[in-house]
Amino acid sequence: MARAQKPKQSRRPQAKSLKQNNLRGFAKRQSLKSQRSSKYSESSDVYEYQPENVRRSKVKLQLEKDELDGARRDISGSEDEDDGPKRNGLRPRLVGENDDEGGLGSDEDEEIDSDEAFDESDEERFAGFNFSTKTKSVAKRKPQKRSLQSQNASASEGEDSAADDEEEGDPEDFIDVLDMIDGKGPAESADEGEHTQKEERPSASKARVEGDDVPHLEDEDEDMHDEEDEGISSDESEEDESHISPMDDAISASGDEDDDVGTSLHDLQSFITNLDAGQKRKAPDDEAAPTTETGEARRQKRRMLKERTEAGEENEFAPHRGATKLNLDDLLNPLASSSSNLLSLKKSAKILTSISAKNQTLSAPLPQRTQERLDREAAYQQTKEEVDKWSATMKKIKEAEHLSFPLQAQPAGRTSNLELAAKFKPTTELESAVDRLLKSAKMREEDIAQTESLKMNHLSVEEVSARRAELAKMRELMFRAEAKAKRVAKIKSKTYRRIKKKEKAKIAAKLGEGSDDEDMNEETRMKHEVERARERATLKHKNTGKWAKAMRARGDLDEDQRRDISEMLSRGEKLRRRIQGIGSGDESEEGEDDTEDDEEGAADRIKASAFEELAQLDKGSEGEEDSGRKGKSIFEMKFMKDAIARDQQRAKQMADDFVREMGESNHEDDEDDELTGGRIEESSGATIERVGGRVTYRPGAQQSQLRTVNSLASDTSSITLRSNDLPSDVARSVTPSATSPIPEKLGIATEAPNPWLAPRQDPAKAVPKKHEIAVSKDSASVEKSKNKLRKKAQKHEEEQSKARNDAAVDISMSNVMTLGDNSSAGPSKPKTRSQSGNQRDDGDDDSDVHSEVEEQERLLDRKGKGKANGVKAFEQRDLVARAFAGDNVVRDFAEAKRREMQEDAPKEVDTTLPGWGSWGGTGTRKAQPKPHLIKKVAGVDPTTRADYKKAHVIISEKRDKKAAKYMVKDLPYPYTSKAQFERSMDIPIGTEWNTRVGFQRGTLPKIVTKPGTVINPLEKLL
Amino acid sequence: MVKISVLQHAPSTHLPARPGDPTPTSRNLDPLMHPFARARERTRALNAVKMERIFAKPFIAALEGHVDAVETMARKPGTLNVVASGSWDGGMIVHDISLRRHILRVDEAHKGKISGVCFADEDRLLTCGVDRNVKLWDTREVDENGAGPSDVRKPLNVFPGKSAFNSIDHHRTDPIFATASNIVQIWDETKSAPISNLSFPTSIETISAIKFNLSESSVLASIGSDRTFTLYDIRTGKAERRIVMQMRSNALSWSPTFPTTILLASEDHNLYTFDIRSLKTPSQIYKAHVAAVMSCDWSPTGHQFVSGGWDRTVRIWQEGRGTAPEVYHTKRMQRVTSTLFTSDAKYVLSGSDDGNIRIWKARAHEKLGILDSRERAAIEYRESLKQKWKTDAQVNKISRSDFLSLFASVYIVADRQLSSLSRTRHIPKPVHKAGQLKRTMLEAQRVKEERRRKHTRAGESKPTAEKRKVVIAEQS
């Protein structure tokens, strides 16, 4: 309401036009009214008035809009920018000054107008209140607003709302206040909103109204004062208005007399009371109702309300009244029976009620431009958010190293089995044949259903249901089984798989027992054969397979791999044993366990069996020979016989060797320790020496076999670990007693002394023996060479020890000091030697080069001949000095540097050619050098050289043109450090320096597009 | 038994397995066999750039048919070869660029200039003109009316408007299109009147071009003769944001792979990419044209774009690299009014004032036709070598495309030096001269600014970044 009035107050012309509008509307309504019967004239009157009230109170937004429209029609939006508070600030002035009815000189005719209007409106209102006492509750809203407005005029909006709340909060108060304001309200409305109506109202029911005025006058007055007290307290600041008010009163009083004489007395009374209350109290009254006539009307109406409410007739136009407020429901209830669209009406009404329940004044809408700007801002934010959803994708694209367009390639659709089955049409002969068969048997998908239904026809209902149930059950089971199978198939656990396999094997075994033996035996045998063959093929029992090698190369092993290796070893062991004929009879695991339990016994057994076998071989060969003589064949021929004889001899020899070896192996157990402690050379015939940190290898047979357990550990530091050692090492560590029947004395478990598996002799024992044995013709060469080597090695060792002694003495500096004093040198020598030895020990501890070879050398040193070496050392030194005599390195270097600097230094070169450009002959003076012939070479100043004041370096100042090509002035852009850039340039990308895949990866372009492929823009995939 | 070891000669190791296959090459893996890796690769890189320059022949063909300047072009979505073009005399032609023939030709599609063409869907084409009409055409050989290729075509539909249209663009999926006149109007193909009008309240000037975003297809952008760029959304039905720039833009294009990026071809010889999430500054400025840029179009990969300018050159830019584009020009090509990438990102089309549409390779030295796998590997190797050795002075000197623009700000007066170096690539003399002039002017401006700054109180006027100068105001 307050807002609605604003534009009107500000612009008079508007008001006028509105007035005219209203006028027109009223005329229409009048005409309608006249058409109705006179009997209902009053009610129709009410009808006419009520919407007005309702409109004022509840549908104020609409009204306000209308008014705004009116306003806009005339005046451009110059005032649109006004804000709420500003308007509030303006309002008081507007109410006081610009009101049409305020009549403060500024608009005389307006005032008159209002005066005239008052008459009409007065009676009109009375008429309204006469009939519907309930309208009071409707009207109640209006007064509230009035009061609001009046307060607005004086105070800020906050107060308004406070007042508002107050009013609403307490029903008792509410009514009181209402009563009072009600009086004021109509008057105001006459000023502001409804002046037009007043003007137009017919003066028909005037007389009746006046009669009702009198009785309630006094109590009303009191009420009014109360109200004013509340209202005015805040109004005191507004002085001019309060000044104006008495004048208004006076004027209005004079006007009042014209209208009705009967009320003049009351008027007078009220006037007097007003005076009594004081100017300030009156101020709001005047403000709100500039004329006392309106005050009069107020009172009159009040009276009427009190009276008429009781006797009112109840219908939808005049609903029952009570202490409670009038609700929209009350108005809508009568419609319940009639209208079908009541619901929608109620819905729309609900909004109204909710609004009316709370804040009755809506803040003015923002100016259109501001509003639109805000809308745009919001819309932009929305779009931004929407678009921002792409940011992750864009980031990904931006950071991608390689992009292949189109990015959103069409996903290749996967065809399901059903799809295929549905589409299937037999094309080949076979397919069509199968199809025909199926067709004839009626086993095709569609046929099955048919046959099913056909069969169903003959069955009773129960049977059918039973069958169905069974089918359903089957289907269910199948489904479950399938689901379970799927689930099981997904399990990745190895242990689970193993357990499963075992179970399966058990079941298979059971089944095998159940079925006929022969057949299964055949099958199982075949299976075993295949398994064996595969094993042989895969070399799973040996550590020479690819996998085993890889494992060996791999150094650190995890649990599984270790287990695998041990498994492999044990398998190999098993096989070996089987060959030896121990486990062959019974392959069961129990047998295996047994063999594991008593290793030594097993070893004996192995030996025994081996001997037996040999004996058999001998026999066999003899027998064969015998039998061979009889037959006439190619074997009878001489060269064949020779060959066979040779073979046999060789075999025999081997057997002999073996027997000897086996027989003496027990004795060698004791020797072993010594061997390992001593030099390797002794046992192996090969030499591994260390001379000054360098390892020298001399020829030696079968080094890998020669390595003993103890030497292994010590050798790791000096000699790179042989890859062969590793698995055996590991095997030993993991399964110390793993199925190894061979005693540990042999060192390497895998290299078992099985003559069949390892036909080579174990040199650890064989060599010394062979040494004694007269070397045979066949196997001689190796042995011979070994012998030779051994001799050579011994000799070498001696020489070495001598040399070492020399070196040891040479190193000790103390001996040099005691030069020439033989007597003192003698005793001091051992000490120094030990010192030096200690020193060396320390050094060895620190460094990782530590070998027993060296240690041996040292031992030898200690044992050495103990001759005095001082004199020798001196000689050595002298020799060195002599050798480098006249070798002045430092001086030469300084000289070279000086020369370099001189060369680079700036200089002047005289390029005059003698005899050119000068006179010759006798008596000529030597001409001055011509300046243009003196060439200046801008070299490098010695002080600016890079090596200036660096005595021991020469830094060349010459520019290397060839290298310059590969230099860059500054670090190129994407790189952040020199090292980075250099690294990137270091790696060539061509095929010569890369693998095929590396090359392909290295040269893959960033963006790849396929020719002839449409690249569509990115799409939102939902 | 005597074992005989034979020197084996397996043909499978050195002969192709099948007739068509390449001969297998063996390679010694020993690094000692391949010394001087760096020197060899550098030489190869040098050869690669030289080869690039030798084989850089981008021009493929010119499509004739238009009588007047080619104002606008549009490619048919989902095809490689169909391109429609409209000219100043009102003629409209649908080309098959692979066969170089006309699929459809309408000589008087509109009265006056055709200002915009775009494909509606499969076979229907929308054109708009200054005769205040939008027309819908059927581009099939024989259209709905039964008119064959030689008959005079009638439009399927005509959408009359109130003022001359300047641009048209179709929604990517929906049967909606937008036109630009003095306001932006959204039309439904089935309705004869626009379904909504979009305009920024205070904008009263002509809108010169309009484009739908390709991925976020409800977002719409326009540029106007009032130096503005405006963003719309047809979901909210509002003009959402507007920026006013120093100079007006002549064309715009949305990036197909980066949906927030838009490219503007400006009258101030530059191109700008903006991120629509922050319109305060452009994300990149592309400087090389020496006259107003009249048209631009993104490559479908979104990593390149093409621009055509008043300076009679077509330039192909790398996204994010603000200088040194590839420059295409011919003697007879006049001002380039429209440019287009084909949808396989391999070719570029340019329509110019002389009424021809020219087909260019997007990469000037690219070999056309089917490539052997080894050849492809070699090409890829060369490319990566060039990339790796681009820091090398010699390689760089040969490969750098536009030396002038690259060093324009570094060298100031040494004009002779510049011209001698810029011979690495031939540019038409007028373009070259215009470039020189432009450089001089910019230099003068810079010097003046510097002097002014020197003579003001310290800290009073600070140099502003180039990017900050572009946008004058951002309005919401």
Side-chain angles (χ1 to χ4, degrees), chain A residues 159-173:
Chain A
E159 276 179 76
D160 297 352
S161 58
D164 235 12
D165 292 348
E166 224 178 277
E167 281 166 9
E168 299 232 326
D170 195 345
E172 292 296 327
D173 268 359

Side-chain angles (χ1 to χ4, degrees), chain A residues 944-972:
Chain A
T944 58
R945 287 178 66 94
D947 56 2
Y948 180 62
K949 280 189 176 172
K950 284 170 188 162
H952 38 268
V953 285
I954 302 173
I955 300 170
S956 175
E957 295 286 327
K958 281 177 188 134
R959 193 167 160 270
D960 186 359
K961 273 186 189 169
K962 280 186 180 167
K965 276 199 293 196
Y966 302 97
M967 312 275 231
V968 287
K969 225 180 216 172
D970 303 310
L971 195 64

Side-chain angles (χ1 to χ4, degrees), chain A residues 194-431:
Chain A
E194 292 154 28
H195 53 287
T196 50
Q197 290 170 357
K198 281 172 229 155
E199 286 168 10
E200 292 141 17
R201 297 270 154 74
S203 56
S205 53
K206 201 197 277 179
R208 199 172 356 108
V209 176
E210 286 169 4
D212 296 331
D213 284 358
V214 192
H216 292 275
L217 185 118
E218 286 184 8
D219 45 2
E220 274 222 334
D221 252 357
E222 283 180 11
D223 285 350
M224 266 193 56
H225 285 305
D226 292 351
E227 158 69 3
E228 278 163 3
D229 279 351
E230 285 174 10
I232 295 156
S233 55
S234 57
D235 288 359
E236 293 178 354
S237 58
E238 313 255 320
E239 295 240 324
D240 41 358
E241 281 175 29
S242 60
H243 287 308
I244 290 161
S245 58
M247 288 222 330
D248 285 345
D249 273 7
I251 293 160
S252 62
S254 65
D256 208 9
E257 284 167 33
D258 302 333
D259 298 330
D260 49 327
V261 189
T263 54
S264 60
L265 185 65
H266 303 294
D267 273 0
L268 195 62
Q269 265 187 339
S270 68
F271 186 55
I272 287 161
T273 48
N274 280 350
L275 282 175
D276 281 345
Q279 283 196 336
K280 275 174 194 172
R281 290 205 172 174
K282 250 173 258 162
D285 197 7
D286 298 335
E287 218 178 67
T291 55
T292 40
E293 297 123 36
T294 53
E296 197 73 69
R298 206 191 312 148
R299 262 162 240 148
Q300 285 160 6
K301 189 185 79 190
R302 190 55 45 86
R303 256 165 262 131
M304 263 168 40
L305 284 172
K306 292 262 170 169
E307 277 211 353
R308 287 285 169 171
T309 46
E310 308 289 337
E313 187 184 325
E314 268 193 31
N315 55 9
E316 59 255 59
F317 304 113
H320 74 93
R321 51 94 217 242
T324 55
K325 289 198 282 184
L326 178 69
N327 284 331
L328 252 173
D329 291 336
D330 299 334
L331 296 172
L332 291 175
N333 276 339
L335 290 171
S337 57
S338 59
S339 64
S340 59
N341 56 358
L342 178 73
L343 265 178
S344 62
L345 193 65
K346 262 187 178 170
K347 212 177 264 173
S348 55
K350 197 181 262 176
I351 301 161
L352 287 177
T353 51
S354 66
I355 287 171
S356 61
K358 286 190 177 163
N359 201 359
Q360 282 171 330
T361 51
L362 288 174
S363 55
L366 289 170
Q368 199 184 4
R369 286 187 64 176
T370 320
Q371 188 62 47
E372 277 180 1
R373 193 188 304 140
L374 289 178
D375 284 354
R376 282 198 299 272
E377 190 76 44
Y380 179 57
Q381 291 304 329
Q382 203 68 30
T383 305
K384 245 191 197 169
E385 268 172 36
E386 197 65 29
V387 159
D388 207 37
K389 286 174 188 166
W390 286 100
S391 55
T393 313
M394 293 195 293
K395 189 162 174 267
K396 229 166 107 186
I397 293 173
K398 213 152 237 176
E399 286 171 354
E401 292 219 336
H402 305 288
L403 289 168
S404 174
F405 285 91
L407 290 175
Q408 293 171 321
Q410 296 298 324
R414 287 180 64 190
T415 48
S416 67
N417 287 344
L418 272 178
E419 211 175 324
L420 286 174
K423 275 184 194 167
F424 179 74
K425 284 246 166 64
T427 48
T428 65
E429 218 170 295
L430 178 69
E431 280 172 5

